[in-house]
């Protein structure tokens, strides 16, 4: 008995001794910033199962003693950092490195813009956010941006609206949609961006060519649209917007639903439907100006700090009516239309969309992946595919009445990669490259000569950008980009047109086959484009700052500028490209002054832009075809100067009133021919007074006054034409600009809490309150009809 007790006591003693030995391990370590490798002070390292913890010192180091062998779970946390869980197997004293991201706020953003661009202080940019964008749910990108100083629009009616930045538009502006550069035949004035504004939560407009990451040909600027933020928690949320408008008797419906998890997985879907009938001026119906639009997008992926991926798909289809009275049978109709105070054709209101019209479908697929590397930076790789299928319908008879006059199918592939070196807090670098292939197929079975030919286009580019914080007051940006563009086309030219333009002398080597009255030619072009940017900002004091920037950019001529040859049916004019066009070279200098205090914000922007080989489209006369006589517009080049100033003011008066002003003017000069440039926006000023009362369900009301001055500086492009019915020559006045005009607009909304997680916002907007008659200089249909009359819009927005 005594022997048994002895052995049991000995066994317990040995077990206790062994246990004591196993629980003498020491865990030492250091908590490091994943971003730049610096030690993190005050981080907590906690072992929940043992209720033991330590706090990192000024060197980021910590120590936890008396730990047993085996696996332990560490929880590392710090203010402004994402909490991290790490497993460690202990068999002896151990030292470990624990990484936290001390700049975790970047996870809370969906910003596609690099630190060396919009986050920089040295570029001219403006940001619009969700609440502002939602108010334009039933409209389009061009409408949203028009109230920004220096931004206007060029229209073909009411549904085709293209943004203009400091006088430049179309191929001179890059539109980025969720990180993808839109490729949707943007070269035509009659081609609006194929973008559903409801997929956008944030819009950034960058003026000038200071965003080399996106392209070196953005002579006018870059428009960046970004989706809604991803909430990193287990959640299900959405939004629905229903809008109805009196002018056009239209409605639009948008709905979105998002699901996310705290582990970073997410999925969201959005859909939009719009239907609008004939719009109306103050005095008459604008026949055949309706819109049918449907859009859908789906996005999913994984978003974590160290790595993640995103898959995105979007579909949009727009059927757009073109004012019936703008489609002319001959030049006599054009003269009569210009001289008539009302459209030559007006019908009763209808939702029908007949010829002339456009039917455009755009699809986009994007896949991207990013990976952060410790103490170095972030790698991003992206592939995207786009298909843009455009039909334009002429007024035709017989068996061809329902056949498109223009059938273009544009397919684009692009791969992009970039690496951002952001480990150092006072300097950042970004390098990247892109490669793209584009194919355009022009259906030959339309029965009409193809305006744009078949072609293959290849692009390659690389860039490097640096952002340097010189001191607490001064920031410097530098950037360089190179792009190579190659285009290989096959096109038929009538021999008479070929000889008329002296191509038989300059481009005889392009001919590959003879088809009786036509040549089949194979134009091949290559362009080497260099771009650079430099900017410096200086913070004078807490309230005042200035910046200066310079941008050099080159833009190769687009397919429309090179190859257009024939009747553009929806525009009712003959367009002629020029194979001799060379790339544009822009040198732009700009300066900003900004004052910002608690109640006052003032921004003054000035710029000067000299563009060598500036390409533009101007009327040159008329031409008789088998379909009648039509005006001829030709692509030409010159050296041009553009300069102007933009002004913005925001003044808070007490807690409830706010005054705003945005004003801008621009001048454009053809220095080669000593005349004014065509299609330069008019000077305008927009003033508003707003009232806000938080206790009244966030009630707000805004009264806005918009005054647009007459554009008195324009070139004389008038021409004479022969009218057979009267046997006379008549001057066709297509240069004289419309008078100035003044519009009053009204907006009001309030938000009601329906439940703990559901809000309803009710908004009312009235545009052109006084129902005045006016014509906008940059509306292509101003020759035929007035702009829109009064319009009431009621909007209901549910957030849940």
């Amino acid at each position: 008995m005594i022997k048994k007790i002895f052995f049991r006591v000995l066994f317990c003693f040995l077990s206790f001794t062994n246990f004591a030995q196993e629980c003498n391990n020491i865990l030492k370590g250091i908590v490091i910033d994943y971003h730049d490798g610096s030690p993190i002070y005050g981080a907590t390292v906690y072992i929940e199962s043992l209720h033991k913890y330590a706090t990192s010192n000024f060197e980021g180091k910590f120590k936890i003693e008396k730990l047993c062998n085996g696996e332990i779970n560490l929880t590392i946390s710090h203010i402004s950092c994402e909490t991290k869980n790490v497993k460690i197997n202990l068999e002896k004293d151990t030292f470990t490195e624990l990484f936290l991201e001390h700049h975790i706020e970047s996870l809370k953003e969906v910003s596609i813009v690099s630190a060396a661009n919009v986050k920089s202080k040295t570029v001219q940019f403006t940001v619009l956010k969700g609440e502002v964008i939602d108010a334009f749910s039933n409209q389009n990108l061009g409408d949203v941006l028009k109230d920004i100083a220096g931004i206007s629009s060029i229209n073909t009616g009411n549904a085709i609206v293209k943004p203009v930045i400091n006088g430049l538009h179309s191929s001179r502006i890059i539109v980025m949609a969720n990180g993808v550069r839109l490729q949707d035949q943007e070269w035509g004035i009659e081609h609006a961006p194929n973008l559903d504004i409801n997929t956008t939560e944030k819009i950034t407009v960058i003026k000038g060519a200071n965003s080399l990451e996106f392209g070196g040909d953005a002579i006018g600027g870059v428009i960046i649209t970004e989706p809604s933020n991803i909430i990193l928690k287990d959640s299900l949320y959405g939004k629905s917007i229903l809008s109805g408008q009196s002018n056009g008797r239209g409605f639009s419906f948008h709905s979105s639903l998002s699901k996310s998890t705290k582990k970073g997985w997410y999925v969201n879907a959005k859909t939009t439907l719009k239907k609008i009938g004939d719009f109306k001026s103050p005095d008459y119906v604008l026949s055949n100006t309706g819109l049918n639009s449907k859009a859908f997008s789906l996005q999913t992926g994984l978003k974590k700090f160290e790595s993640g991926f995103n898959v995105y798909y979007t579909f949009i289809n727009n059927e757009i009516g073109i004012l019936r009275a703008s489609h002319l049978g001959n030049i006599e109709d054009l003269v009569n239309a210009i001289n008539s105070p009302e459209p030559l054709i007006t019908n009763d209101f209808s939702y029908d969309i007949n010829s002339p019209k456009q039917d455009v479908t755009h699809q986009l697929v994007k896949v991207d992946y990013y990976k952060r590397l410790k103490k170095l930076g972030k790698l991003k790789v992206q592939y995207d595919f786009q298909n843009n299928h455009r039909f334009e319908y002429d007024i035709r008879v017989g068996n061809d009445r329902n056949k498109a006059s223009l059938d273009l199918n544009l397919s684009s592939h692009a791969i992009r990669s970039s690496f951002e070196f952001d480990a150092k807090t006072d300097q950042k670098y970004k390098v990247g490259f892109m490669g793209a292939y584009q194919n355009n197929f022009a259906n030959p079975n339309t029965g009409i000569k193809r305006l744009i030919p078949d072609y293959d286009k290849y692009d390659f580019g690389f860039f490097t950008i640096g952002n340097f914080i010189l001191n607490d007051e001064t920031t410097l940006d530098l950037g360089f980009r190179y792009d190579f563009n190659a285009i290989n086309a096959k096109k038929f030219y009538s021999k008479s047109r070929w000889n008329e333009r002296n191509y038989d002398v300059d481009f005889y080597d392009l001919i590959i086959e003879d088809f009786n009255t036509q040549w089949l030619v194979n134009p091949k072009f290559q362009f080497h484009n260099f771009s650079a940017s430099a900017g410096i900002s200086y913070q004078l004091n807490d309230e005042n700052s200035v910046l200066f920037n310079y941008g050099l950019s080159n833009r190769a001529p687009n397919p429309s500028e090179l190859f257009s040859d024939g009747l553009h049916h929806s525009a009712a004019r003959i367009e002629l490209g020029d194979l001799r066009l060379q790339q544009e070279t822009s040198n732009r200098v700009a300066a900003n002054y900004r004052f910002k205090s608690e109640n006052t914000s003032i921004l003054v922007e000035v710029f000067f832009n000299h563009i060598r080989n500036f390409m533009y489209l101007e009327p040159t006369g008329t031409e008789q075809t088998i379909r009648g006589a039509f005006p001829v517009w030709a692509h030409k080049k010159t050296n041009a100067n553009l300069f102007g100033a933009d002004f913005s003011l925001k003044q808070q008066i007490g807690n409830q009133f706010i005054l705003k002003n945005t004003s801008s003017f621009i001048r454009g000069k053809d220095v080669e021919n000593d005349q004014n440039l065509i299609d330069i926006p008019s000077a305008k000023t927009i003033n508003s007074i707003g009232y806000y009362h938080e206790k009244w369900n966030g009630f707000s009301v805004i009264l806005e006054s918009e005054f647009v001055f007459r554009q008195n500086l324009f070139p004389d492009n008038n021409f004479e034409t022969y009218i057979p019915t009267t046997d006379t020559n008549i001057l066709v006045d297509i240069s004289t600009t419309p008078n100035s005009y003044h519009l009053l607009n009204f907006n009001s909304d309030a938000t009601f809490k329906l439940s703990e997680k559901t809000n309803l916002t009710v908004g009312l907007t009235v545009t052109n309150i006084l129902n005045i008659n006016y014509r906008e200089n940059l509306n292509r249909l101003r020759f035929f009809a007035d702009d829109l009359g009064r319009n009431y819009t009621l909007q209901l927005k549910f957030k849940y």
Side-chain angles (χ1 to χ4, degrees):
M1 183 67 178
I2 296 175
K3 189 176 181 178
K4 290 182 179 179
I5 293 173
F6 171 78
F7 278 111
R8 287 177 180 176
V9 171
L10 178 62
F11 177 78
C12 290
F13 175 77
L14 291 175
S15 298
F16 175 79
T17 304
N18 184 58
F19 177 78
Q21 289 174 348
E22 290 178 353
C23 293
N24 285 329
N25 294 327
I26 299 174
L27 175 65
K28 294 182 179 180
I30 183 171
V31 183
I32 300 173
D33 188 333
Y34 192 106
H35 181 73
D36 56 20
S38 61
I40 295 179
Y41 166 69
T44 300
V45 183
Y46 180 57
I47 307 174
E48 184 177 5
S49 61
L50 302 178
H51 301 290
K52 290 189 175 185
Y53 71 93
T55 303
S56 60
N57 60 21
F58 282 102
E59 295 178 336
K61 296 179 180 179
F62 68 91
K63 180 172 71 172
I64 303 178
E65 299 179 313
K66 297 182 179 181
L67 299 177
C68 303
N69 286 353
E71 185 179 83
I72 59 173
N73 293 316
L74 300 180
T75 300
I76 308 99
S77 60
H78 186 267
I79 297 175
S80 299
C81 294
E82 181 184 31
T83 299
K84 194 170 186 178
N85 296 307
V86 176
K87 292 182 179 180
I88 296 179
N89 282 314
L90 283 180
E91 296 179 355
K92 57 182 179 179
D93 292 351
T94 303
F95 180 86
T96 185
E97 288 184 339
L98 303 174
F99 288 89
L100 288 180
E101 172 49 44
H102 195 60
H103 306 273
I104 197 64
E105 63 271 11
S106 64
L107 251 186
K108 300 175 183 177
E109 300 176 356
V110 195
S111 179
I112 303 166
V113 186
S114 70
N117 284 297
V118 172
K119 290 183 182 179
S120 161
K121 297 180 180 179
T122 69
V123 296
Q124 297 174 316
F125 72 93
T126 303
V127 176
L128 298 179
K129 296 188 177 180
E131 296 301 319
V132 175
I133 299 170
D134 284 348
F136 292 86
S137 176
N138 61 328
Q139 300 183 59
N140 54 50
L141 180 64
D143 294 315
V144 177
L145 303 178
K146 285 192 294 186
D147 283 353
I148 298 176
I151 312 298
S152 50
S153 65
I154 190 164
N155 299 27
T156 302
N158 312 298
I160 303 176
V161 184
K162 294 179 72 75
V164 180
I165 302 177
N166 289 150
L168 301 175
H169 55 84
S170 301
S171 292
R172 299 182 181 94
I173 294 177
I174 293 176
V175 178
M176 299 294 297
N178 196 358
V180 178
R181 176 171 177 167
L182 275 185
Q183 302 285 354
D184 57 354
Q185 305 179 38
E186 71 282 353
W187 55 72
I189 289 176
E190 299 81 7
H191 302 175
N194 288 281
L195 176 74
D196 177 17
I197 197 66
N198 292 290
T199 62
T200 298
E201 187 70 19
K202 177 181 175 184
I203 302 175
T204 304
V205 179
I206 305 171
K207 298 177 182 177
N210 292 87
S211 297
L212 300 184
E213 177 181 353
F214 308 113
D217 54 345
I219 293 177
V222 180
I223 299 171
I224 304 162
T225 68
E226 303 172 37
S228 56
N229 196 3
I230 304 301
I231 301 175
L232 296 181
K233 63 180 183 180
D234 294 325
S235 62
L236 179 65
Y237 55 95
K239 175 174 67 176
S240 293
I241 303 175
L242 179 63
S243 300
Q245 64 184 64
S246 62
N247 200 327
R249 305 180 194 177
F251 76 91
S252 73
F253 173 76
H254 167 74
S255 188
S256 65
L257 188 64
S258 299
K259 169 65 179 175
S260 63
T261 70
K262 63 181 179 181
K263 292 184 178 181
W265 292 99
Y266 64 90
V267 60
N268 63 59
K270 301 180 180 181
T271 187
T272 303
L273 297 173
K274 297 179 184 178
K275 186 175 183 64
I276 304 174
D278 292 336
F279 288 94
K280 188 178 183 299
S281 77
D283 298 326
Y284 44 78
V285 172
L286 302 170
S287 298
N288 200 55
T289 56
L291 167 70
N292 290 329
S293 177
K294 48 185 177 291
F296 171 77
S297 69
L298 181 66
Q299 183 172 355
T300 187
L302 174 65
K303 184 178 182 181
K304 301 173 71 175
F305 178 75
E306 294 182 12
S307 64
F309 71 91
N310 176 68
V311 180
Y312 178 69
Y313 170 77
T314 182
F315 167 93
I316 183 169
N317 172 258
N318 290 320
E319 185 183 19
I320 306 170
I322 307 294
L323 180 69
R324 179 62 182 86
S326 71
H327 189 89
L328 308 172
N330 52 57
I331 197 64
E332 187 172 1
D333 290 345
L334 174 63
V335 174
N336 291 335
I338 291 175
N339 293 331
S340 173
E342 295 189 2
L344 299 183
I345 300 174
T346 55
N347 299 314
D348 293 337
F349 172 86
S350 174
Y351 286 103
D352 295 337
I353 299 178
N354 301 306
S355 299
K357 67 176 183 178
Q358 299 179 6
D359 191 336
V360 186
T361 300
H362 189 84
Q363 298 184 78
L364 181 156
V365 178
K366 181 191 81 164
V367 179
D368 67 53
Y369 171 80
Y370 67 87
K371 173 69 177 177
R372 293 184 185 268
L373 303 180
K374 296 175 183 177
K375 306 179 188 178
L376 193 60
K378 181 179 179 181
L379 171 69
K380 184 175 181 180
V381 180
Q382 174 179 302
Y383 165 79
D384 62 77
F385 167 76
Q386 298 177 71
N387 179 261
N388 187 268
H389 200 175
R390 166 176 291 273
F391 296 96
E392 295 190 5
Y393 292 86
D394 186 14
I395 297 175
R396 308 174 76 174
V397 296
N399 294 331
D400 291 337
R401 69 180 62 190
N402 296 319
K403 183 183 290 187
S405 301
L406 184 71
D407 180 355
L408 297 179
N409 196 318
L410 185 72
S411 297
S412 306
H413 302 261
I415 185 167
R416 307 170 191 272
S417 181
S418 64
F419 194 94
E420 184 175 7
F421 299 87
D422 59 359
K424 297 182 179 180
T425 57
D426 61 344
Q427 53 188 271
K428 300 182 194 306
Y429 303 91
K430 193 166 190 177
V431 297
F433 81 91
M434 64 79 66
Y437 166 72
Q438 186 176 89
N439 171 262
N440 182 71
F441 174 70
N443 189 344
N445 299 318
T446 62
I448 302 292
K449 184 178 179 179
R450 293 180 289 179
L451 181 67
I452 304 293
D454 297 345
Y455 69 81
D456 294 303
K457 187 171 180 286
Y458 306 86
D459 299 289
F460 171 80
F462 67 85
F463 69 90
T464 178
I465 301 169
N467 174 252
F468 309 92
I469 300 176
L470 303 183
N471 52 49
D472 291 342
E473 296 83 22
T474 310
T475 300
L476 173 68
D477 284 347
L478 297 172
F480 173 80
R481 184 180 177 108
Y482 166 76
D483 287 284
F484 170 76
N485 312 121
I487 189 167
N488 184 350
K490 287 188 177 180
K491 176 173 174 53
F492 286 96
Y493 277 95
S494 68
K495 292 183 177 179
S496 58
R497 180 78 73 194
W498 185 261
N499 295 334
E500 169 197 304
R501 302 184 70 77
N502 293 323
Y503 288 166
D504 55 326
V505 177
D506 296 334
F507 300 107
Y508 64 91
D509 57 329
L510 301 183
I511 299 173
I512 58 175
E513 199 167 347
D514 185 347
F515 285 83
N516 296 320
T517 61
Q518 297 186 93
W519 295 118
L520 176 61
V521 300
N522 183 202
K524 296 180 180 179
F525 297 99
Q526 294 184 357
F527 301 96
H528 300 273
N529 302 313
F530 297 91
S531 307
S533 64
I536 188 167
S537 69
Y538 184 74
Q539 192 74 32
L540 300 172
N541 52 44
D542 291 341
E543 296 181 336
N544 297 273
S545 64
V546 294
L547 74 83
F548 303 91
N549 61 48
Y550 163 76
L552 165 69
S553 56
N554 283 275
R555 182 183 73 89
N558 64 44
S560 179
E561 292 162 333
L562 288 171
F563 305 126
S564 289
D565 179 27
L567 185 60
H568 194 163
H569 295 272
S570 67
R573 68 188 184 201
I574 295 169
E575 294 183 8
L576 300 178
D578 192 340
L579 297 178
R580 300 180 182 87
L581 294 176
Q582 301 171 341
Q583 63 254 61
E584 292 178 338
T585 300
S586 166
N587 286 273
R588 185 182 190 271
V589 292
N592 274 22
Y593 165 74
R594 184 185 296 272
F595 172 84
K596 187 172 181 61
S597 65
E598 183 178 355
N599 295 320
T600 306
S601 176
I602 298 174
L603 177 63
V604 181
E605 304 173 298
V606 295
F607 74 93
F608 175 81
N609 195 355
H610 174 72
I611 306 177
R612 182 167 55 87
N613 293 328
F614 178 78
M615 289 172 272
Y616 64 102
L617 189 64
E618 76 167 11
T620 59
T622 61
E623 184 174 306
Q624 186 71 37
T625 73
I626 59 173
R627 298 181 62 81
F630 291 90
V632 177
W633 289 65
H635 288 277
K636 295 186 175 183
K637 67 174 182 177
T638 188
N639 293 330
N641 289 336
L642 293 96
F643 60 94
D646 304 324
F647 175 81
S648 300
L649 167 69
K650 182 178 179 181
Q651 178 65 52
Q652 186 81 32
I653 303 175
N655 295 323
Q656 296 176 322
F657 288 92
I658 187 168
L659 299 176
K660 290 183 180 180
N661 171 269
T662 59
S663 301
S664 59
F665 87 91
I666 181 174
R667 294 289 181 262
K669 189 73 174 180
D670 178 346
V671 295
E672 220 175 82
N673 300 304
D674 191 26
Q675 64 179 12
N676 298 302
L677 284 179
I678 194 171
D679 290 337
I680 296 299
S682 304
K684 69 175 181 178
T685 181
I686 301 175
N687 295 278
S688 68
I689 180 170
Y691 174 79
Y692 175 76
H693 201 299
E694 184 178 2
K695 294 182 179 180
W696 295 353
N697 296 300
F699 172 77
S700 71
V701 59
I702 299 172
L703 181 63
E704 179 186 85
S705 164
E706 176 182 358
F707 186 85
V708 178
F709 295 84
R710 179 175 181 176
Q711 177 57 274
N712 293 314
L713 303 177
F714 54 87
D716 184 1
N717 294 132
N718 298 332
F719 54 86
E720 283 192 349
T721 187
Y722 175 70
I723 306 297
T725 56
T726 59
D727 191 27
T728 58
N729 288 315
I730 292 183
L731 181 70
V732 182
D733 184 1
I734 59 173
S735 298
T736 303
T737 57
N739 294 325
S740 60
Y741 61 88
H742 178 222
L743 302 179
L744 288 178
N745 306 311
F746 170 86
N747 175 265
S748 180
D749 62 53
T751 300
F752 304 90
K753 196 171 185 63
L754 302 182
S755 68
E756 183 179 350
K757 296 182 178 181
T758 305
N759 292 332
L760 168 64
T761 300
V762 181
L764 174 66
T765 300
V766 186
T767 57
N768 193 2
I769 294 174
L770 301 181
N771 204 31
I772 69 163
N773 299 87
Y774 73 99
R775 300 194 181 194
E776 165 55 41
N777 180 40
L778 294 187
N779 191 333
R780 287 299 190 192
L781 301 184
R782 69 177 176 86
F783 301 111
F784 315 107
D786 290 339
D787 265 277
L788 296 186
R790 184 187 298 115
N791 183 34
Y792 297 91
T793 300
L794 178 65
Q795 183 184 88
L796 305 177
K797 179 172 67 175
F798 295 87
K799 279 192 173 183
Y800 39 86

